[in-house]
Amino acid sequence: MLSFTIATMAAAFVFFVLAQRNLAPKYRISMMVSALVVFIAGYHYFRIFNSFEGAYQLSQAGFSYEPTGKPLNDAYRYVDWLLTVPLLTVELVLVMDLPEGESGPLAAKLGFAAALMIALGYPGEMSESTALIGQRGLWGFLSTLPFIYVLYKLFAGLGDVLDRQSGEVATLLGNARLLLLLTWGWYPIVYMVPMFVSGYPSEAPGTLVTLQVGYTIADVAAKAGYGVLIYAIAKQKSVEEGYNVDTMVEPAATT
Amino acid sequence: MLSFTIATMAAAFVFFVLAQRNLAPKYRISMMVSALVVFIAGYHYFRIFNSFEGAYQLSQAGFSYEPTGKPLNDAYRYVDWLLTVPLLTVELVLVMDLPEGESGPLAAKLGFAAALMIALGYPGEMSESTALIGQRGLWGFLSTLPFIYVLYKLFAGLGDVLDRQSGEVATLLGNARLLLLLTWGWYPIVYMVPMFVSGYPSEAPGTLVTLQVGYTIADVAAKAGYGVLIYAIAKQKSVEEGYNVDTMVEPAATT
């Protein structure tokens, strides 16, 4: 699963770098940010992969992993999110192409809230106490507050931005927003799994695997899948602004 | 923290390489230098990471690092600085776009002073004596002299250069100079920490970690953050010189 993700992120990186030239120049920056996100994620999955190889070894029969006694370093995941999750909000803002002067402040607010969300989640993840009314529950709750702020900004605050777009772009932007809601909303569900399992983490290795698999699925969808959706939006907007995306002829030259 | 920095430097490298084409051709060289700086730094952080993994191991509980007995090789940091710190001064000089014939000599003087600053600091860092009036204090003091020379050149000598720029560029250049002062000024503070801790380095592993974290924060700000600021300056100057940075149409073609 971890190796699958390294391959996916690396392939997504190549795609986002190469796909830039099919877009109108002003939308290329959103693909650059997508490329940075999957690059950073790919790097961290490489680290998580190595940490996992050190912490578990395949049993002789080859059907199960046995702990070696060395701990799995989960900090890589949070460091990755600290860098990539704010960039995901920036991607969405960039592709919206807001009026002059609105993009910067909105991206800064959403990015800061996203970073705060990750930073607040980490102490709970590291905590041995998994009770709902305990360390994990408390930090998880605090982390949800900036998440709600991001959702509020994207759903309540951007209605008029969607109205200004063409039907097709509005649908795609709505989809990207929805994908963000679904994938980001998936993480807290995974985060809460240990609350229902006794003896986590030391006596419940299966739960640890559930967490790793759960977070990994979400990362692939929220980074690579989301980036492809951003590409679709950028391409559609390029077409609507008069670019021939097949020949990359500029609007001025076609008329 | 070390892994975070590898990811940041690598992502910054990708960004600086890709961002070049959004700039007027004469400012692309400053982004190239930024890319070199973070590339070299990313490589050295990879080395420091491996050296740290050899020198410390994660405890069973996963919450603390224990020394293995192998020393951490700090030379990587100084070798990194010896290469990158002169390049940081070169970046700033290049983006200023000084009159013909002034850039080369100024970049050479600042670069040489910056290299001298690093070379003089190293013997103090390696010294077991941490007294203020001792090896660490002496070399630290000598290292400060070229640092003051660099600041003198940038603050006293470049007033008329800033006056020649537009308001927005002057502000950004002033910010870059200030970031250089703040980040470069942060290193000597970290350097002085062991002077106030007895038994450094062998009996004070916590102080060693403080140094690593302190230097790392400064490196991220002084290399990746600074590069982004240089990008902002180069982009603003490109716009003012008539380039449409969104479509990258040359000024001659637009008129």
Side-chain angles (χ1 to χ4, degrees):
Chain A
M1 191 77 203
L2 296 172
S3 175
F4 162 83
T5 308
I6 296 172
T8 306
M9 295 297 182
F13 174 73
V14 173
F15 177 76
F16 294 147
V17 169
L18 296 179
Q20 284 184 79
R21 49 174 183 207
N22 298 342
L23 302 175
K26 73 171 162 182
Y27 296 116
R28 285 180 193 162
I29 183 87
S30 63
M31 273 306 96
M32 266 174 65
V33 178
S34 293
L36 293 188
V37 166
V38 293
F39 180 87
I40 295 169
Y43 165 77
H44 284 109
Y45 270 91
F46 185 77
R47 288 278 179 222
I48 296 168
F49 182 94
N50 286 352
S51 179
F52 192 90
E53 290 255 294
Y56 295 90
Q57 58 192 11
L58 211 53
S59 72
Q60 204 63 10
F63 294 113
S64 68
Y65 277 93
E66 292 160 356
T68 61
K70 281 175 69 180
L72 178 67
N73 189 346
D74 234 352
Y76 292 126
R77 228 171 246 292
Y78 277 80
V79 169
D80 175 63
W81 291 339
L82 196 61
L83 286 165
T84 56
V85 174
L87 289 176
L88 291 173
T89 63
V90 169
E91 260 178 61
L92 190 59
V93 172
L94 282 174
V95 86
M96 281 174 185
D97 187 31
L98 297 177
E100 184 78 27
E102 283 183 26
S103 286
L106 180 63
K109 277 181 211 158
L110 294 180
F112 180 77
L116 191 66
M117 174 179 87
I118 301 302
L120 288 171
Y122 185 62
E125 187 79 84
M126 288 297 103
S127 156
E128 293 276 322
S129 138
T130 58
L132 184 58
I133 311 298
Q135 292 285 312
R136 199 176 186 92
L138 173 70
W139 291 109
F141 172 75
L142 290 176
S143 166
T144 309
L145 300 178
F147 178 42
I148 290 170
Y149 172 77
V150 170
L151 292 183
Y152 170 77
K153 276 287 193 192
L154 289 180
F155 283 82
L158 289 178
D160 57 323
V161 171
L162 258 72
D163 292 343
R164 250 187 282 130
Q165 318 278 345
S166 78
E168 201 153 347
V169 170
T171 307
L172 287 168
L173 271 177
N175 287 349
R177 203 168 61 165
L178 200 65
L179 181 65
L180 190 147
L181 168 67
L182 292 177
T183 52
W184 290 29
W186 174 252
Y187 292 96
I189 295 171
V190 178
Y191 185 92
M192 285 168 76
V193 167
M195 295 182 184
F196 306 101
V197 178
S198 66
Y200 178 84
S202 50
E203 287 156 41
T207 305
L208 193 140
V209 171
T210 305
L211 248 71
Q212 296 303 320
V213 171
Y215 284 148
T216 303
I217 292 170
D219 273 352
V220 169
K223 295 182 165 87
Y226 179 82
V228 171
L229 207 43
I230 298 284
Y231 171 67
I233 296 168
K235 191 165 173 186
Q236 182 62 30
K237 292 189 87 162
S238 301
V239 169
E240 287 175 12
E241 285 169 26
Y243 283 82
N244 181 332
V245 290
D246 287 330
T247 59
M248 227 32 242
V249 175
E250 312 241 336
T254 55
T255 52
Chain B
M1 191 79 201
L2 296 173
S3 174
F4 164 83
T5 308
I6 295 172
T8 306
M9 296 296 182
F13 173 74
V14 174
F15 177 78
F16 295 148
V17 168
L18 295 179
Q20 281 185 74
R21 39 162 198 218
N22 298 342
L23 302 175
K26 75 171 162 184
Y27 295 117
R28 287 181 191 162
I29 183 85
S30 62
M31 273 306 96
M32 268 174 63
V33 178
S34 292
L36 292 188
V37 166
V38 293
F39 181 87
I40 295 169
Y43 164 76
H44 283 108
Y45 269 90
F46 186 78
R47 287 279 177 223
I48 297 169
F49 181 94
N50 286 352
S51 178
F52 192 91
E53 289 255 294
Y56 296 89
Q57 59 192 9
L58 209 56
S59 73
Q60 203 63 10
F63 294 113
S64 67
Y65 277 93
E66 292 160 355
T68 61
K70 282 173 67 180
L72 178 66
N73 188 348
D74 234 352
Y76 293 126
R77 228 172 246 292
Y78 277 80
V79 169
D80 175 63
W81 291 339
L82 198 60
L83 286 164
T84 56
V85 173
L87 289 176
L88 290 173
T89 63
V90 169
E91 261 177 62
L92 190 58
V93 172
L94 282 174
V95 86
M96 281 176 184
D97 188 30
L98 297 176
E100 185 77 27
E102 283 184 25
S103 284
L106 180 63
K109 277 180 210 158
L110 292 181
F112 180 76
L116 192 66
M117 173 179 89
I118 300 303
L120 289 171
Y122 185 62
E125 187 79 86
M126 288 298 104
S127 155
E128 292 277 321
S129 137
T130 58
L132 185 58
I133 313 298
Q135 292 286 312
R136 198 176 186 91
L138 173 70
W139 290 108
F141 172 75
L142 291 176
S143 165
T144 309
L145 300 179
F147 177 42
I148 289 170
Y149 171 78
V150 170
L151 292 183
Y152 170 78
K153 276 288 191 190
L154 289 181
F155 282 83
L158 289 178
D160 57 323
V161 171
L162 258 71
D163 292 342
R164 248 186 284 129
Q165 317 277 346
S166 79
E168 200 152 345
V169 170
T171 307
L172 287 168
L173 271 176
N175 287 349
R177 204 168 59 166
L178 200 66
L179 181 65
L180 190 146
L181 168 66
L182 291 177
T183 52
W184 290 29
W186 173 251
Y187 292 97
I189 295 170
V190 177
Y191 185 92
M192 285 168 76
V193 167
M195 295 182 184
F196 307 102
V197 178
S198 65
Y200 179 85
S202 51
E203 286 156 43
T207 305
L208 192 139
V209 171
T210 304
L211 249 70
Q212 296 302 320
V213 171
Y215 284 148
T216 302
I217 292 169
D219 273 353
V220 169
K223 295 183 166 84
Y226 179 83
V228 172
L229 206 44
I230 297 284
Y231 171 68
I233 296 168
K235 193 167 173 185
Q236 181 62 31
K237 293 189 86 161
S238 300
V239 170
E240 286 175 12
E241 287 169 24
Y243 283 81
N244 181 333
V245 290
D246 284 332
T247 61
M248 226 35 241
V249 173
E250 313 246 333
T254 56
T255 52

